[in-house]
Amino acid sequence: MPTMLHVMTLLPLLFLALLPCIHGAALTTVLAPQERSCFYAWVDKAGEKVGFYFAVQSGGSFDIDYHIASPSDKVVLEGQKERQLDVVFTGNEVGEYAFCFENDMSNFNEKMIDFDITVESEPRLDAPLSGAALLTEHSAPLEDSIQKLDGQLTQVQRTQRYFRVWENRGFSTVRSTQSKLLWYSIIESLVVIGLSLGQVHLVRRMFEKGSTRRYRV
């Protein structure tokens, strides 16, 4: 009984110790034409995992230029006319990383971007557990379950992001199609009205010319 009591007491502490330390930010930003915007994340230890995700939700062709710079101003990643990105890289330098978006290719359309930045430390067992040695065989299944749950939650999150992006793009396509149909209908109506007026004018001229003719008997 005392052993089981110690196990049940130490399991919550072990669970907290196994959880990775994650700092994240989920944001939405709007970039005007010819605008550049940067966001920053701090890495306090070399070797930490840095995750970066973004998706262009609206504007133009749904693309944007981006680049990631290290604290020493070295380019970590960069790309042009990207619609969506989901990457994880290792922060080898301690300091502030810059994540920048550039809307230079657009002169009229503003872009709405959904993105998040995560800084994740590797899981490490540093809690002061005096009886941790007793939990070796009990902690292994718990650690596996936590890792599987984390992977499943990450997959669900990516699936939700995927559907959200395509929902916004589909809505934009429908709205653009509706606008085109409206203008096509207006132009078609104007053409029909113009042809009708032209036909009426032509017929009137033909009858007016015919009525002014004189014939000898």
Side-chain angles (χ1 to χ4, degrees):
M1 288 297 294
T3 303
M4 289 301 299
L5 182 59
H6 287 303
V7 169
M8 296 301 296
T9 305
L10 294 175
L11 275 178
L13 296 176
L14 179 62
F15 179 80
L16 294 176
L18 290 173
L19 285 177
C21 179
I22 302 176
H23 308 282
L27 300 170
T28 299
T29 185
V30 177
L31 265 70
Q34 303 297 319
E35 184 181 1
R36 182 174 184 266
S37 182
C38 293
F39 301 85
Y40 302 90
W42 184 270
V43 173
D44 56 7
K45 184 177 179 181
E48 289 187 337
K49 301 298 182 182
V50 182
F52 180 51
Y53 162 84
F54 76 84
V56 182
Q57 300 292 343
S58 65
S61 300
F62 295 91
D63 54 2
I64 201 73
D65 297 343
Y66 79 94
H67 81 271
I68 305 171
S70 67
S72 60
D73 206 22
K74 295 180 180 178
V75 176
V76 179
L77 288 171
E78 63 180 352
Q80 294 181 344
K81 296 184 178 180
E82 294 286 346
R83 292 188 169 188
Q84 188 173 357
L85 182 72
D86 191 357
V87 296
V88 177
F89 63 92
T90 302
N92 295 319
E93 299 180 26
V94 176
E96 197 172 53
Y97 284 75
F99 302 81
C100 298
F101 299 105
E102 297 180 1
N103 194 19
D104 293 337
M105 84 283 289
S106 179
N107 294 321
F108 305 102
N109 297 314
E110 64 179 18
K111 306 291 179 67
M112 185 177 74
I113 306 169
D114 179 28
F115 71 98
D116 66 60
I117 303 168
T118 58
V119 179
E120 178 180 353
S121 300
E122 294 292 340
R124 48 184 180 274
L125 188 62
D126 54 2
L129 301 179
S130 58
L134 299 175
L135 298 178
T136 304
E137 60 183 41
H138 299 282
S139 63
L142 178 61
E143 185 177 358
D144 293 339
S145 300
I146 293 173
Q147 292 178 353
K148 290 180 181 179
L149 182 61
D150 180 69
Q152 292 173 355
L153 290 175
T154 301
Q155 187 62 35
V156 169
Q157 188 180 27
R158 290 180 177 178
T159 303
Q160 289 177 337
R161 288 171 173 172
Y162 175 82
F163 283 117
R164 181 182 178 186
V165 170
W166 282 103
E167 180 183 2
N168 290 334
R169 292 177 183 174
F171 178 74
S172 177
T173 302
V174 170
R175 185 170 55 186
S176 175
T177 303
Q178 289 177 341
S179 178
K180 291 178 180 178
L181 288 175
L182 175 62
W183 283 108
Y184 287 158
S185 301
I186 293 174
I187 293 173
E188 183 179 7
S189 300
L190 292 175
V191 170
V192 171
I193 293 173
L195 290 175
S196 301
L197 293 175
Q199 289 177 352
V200 171
H201 180 69
L202 181 62
V203 171
R204 288 185 62 181
R205 282 191 66 183
M206 290 177 61
F207 277 99
E208 286 176 356
K209 287 183 178 180
S211 61
T212 57
R213 293 180 181 178
R214 296 182 178 180
Y215 301 92
R216 290 184 180 183
V217 179

